[in-house]
Amino acid sequence: MADSSFDIVSKVERQEVDNALNQTAKEISQRYDFKGVGASISWSGEKILMEANSEDRVKAVLDVFQSKLIKRGISLKALDAGEPQLSGKEYKIFASIEEGISQDNAKKVAKIIRDEGPKGVKAQVQGDELRVSSKSRDDLQTIIALLKGKDFEFALQFVNYR
C-alpha cells in the first residue's frame, strides 16, 4: 500500500484579502468617526497602504481591516503590519501579506514532527511547503492535531490530504 500524505503550507487567498480590503474601505467611508480624517486603505503594489491624519485613526483603520480578515477566515499571523509613520501631514501604515514557510520555520516544524510525532512519519521540505507522509492515516491525523496545538508565528494550512 502506498504512503498517505498531506502538505503543510502557509498561503493566503488574494481574493479574500481583496474582499476584506474593499469591505474595510466601504466601512471607513460610511462610519461617522472616520469623517473628515482623510482615512483610506488601498493596495500599493504588493503592500497594503492605510492612511489617516492622526496616529489613532490610522490604527483604527488597521483594526477594522484586521476584523474583516478574521471574518473572512484569514489568520492575522499572515498580516505583517508596520508601525505608523508620519509622512507630511498624514500617518501611514504599510502592511504586507506573508506567504510561504521559510526554510528555518519548515525545519522547526519538521523537528517537532520527528521529536513529538509517531514513529514512521516522514517530513520533507519542498520549497516553501512541507510534505508529511506515513503508512498510517491515523498517524497523519495525530500530526495535524499536534501542529494545531502548537503556536507558531506563521499561519499553517493542511492541504492535499490523500
Side-chain angles (χ1 to χ4, degrees):
M1 185 176 123
D3 284 1
S4 299
S5 68
F6 68 90
D7 294 332
I8 301 172
V9 297
S10 181
K11 294 200 186 318
V12 176
E13 201 164 320
R14 172 86 178 203
Q15 186 60 51
E16 289 296 329
V17 174
D18 211 32
N19 290 343
L21 187 133
N22 291 335
Q23 287 177 341
T24 304
K26 185 174 182 181
E27 184 170 325
I28 288 168
S29 71
Q30 293 175 344
R31 265 178 48 177
Y32 178 76
D33 57 336
F34 285 116
K35 293 280 187 232
V37 296
S40 68
I41 183 169
S42 62
W43 285 105
S44 174
E46 283 297 304
K47 293 190 180 281
I48 297 163
L49 171 64
M50 291 162 262
E51 296 177 302
N53 65 2
S54 75
E55 189 172 345
D56 291 341
R57 286 293 100 202
V58 78
K59 285 182 178 176
V61 171
L62 177 61
D63 191 45
V64 171
F65 183 56
Q66 288 174 335
S67 70
K68 298 297 181 191
L69 287 175
I70 291 170
K71 283 183 182 172
R72 302 203 70 78
I74 297 172
S75 172
L76 291 183
K77 292 178 181 178
L79 180 70
D80 181 25
E83 289 299 311
Q85 300 168 337
L86 184 60
S87 172
K89 292 183 178 178
E90 292 207 323
Y91 282 88
K92 296 180 179 188
I93 293 179
F94 285 98
S96 60
I97 302 295
E98 301 290 322
E99 288 194 305
I101 302 173
S102 71
Q103 290 291 331
D104 292 343
N105 289 335
K107 287 177 184 173
K108 286 180 195 170
V109 173
K111 183 172 179 3
I112 289 171
I113 291 171
R114 268 196 319 276
D115 295 348
E116 301 177 30
K119 298 290 177 234
V121 176
K122 297 185 287 286
Q124 304 166 309
V125 178
Q126 297 180 333
D128 62 351
E129 55 186 49
L130 201 65
R131 166 77 43 95
V132 180
S133 57
S134 172
K135 294 210 181 301
S136 164
R137 285 181 163 233
D138 291 341
D139 288 352
L140 294 180
Q141 293 287 348
T142 306
I143 295 294
I144 290 174
L146 169 75
L147 294 177
K148 282 185 177 178
K150 299 284 182 189
D151 188 34
F152 296 105
E153 62 268 7
F154 52 94
L156 292 180
Q157 291 90 32
F158 306 100
V159 298
N160 296 338
Y161 185 82
R162 50 179 173 256

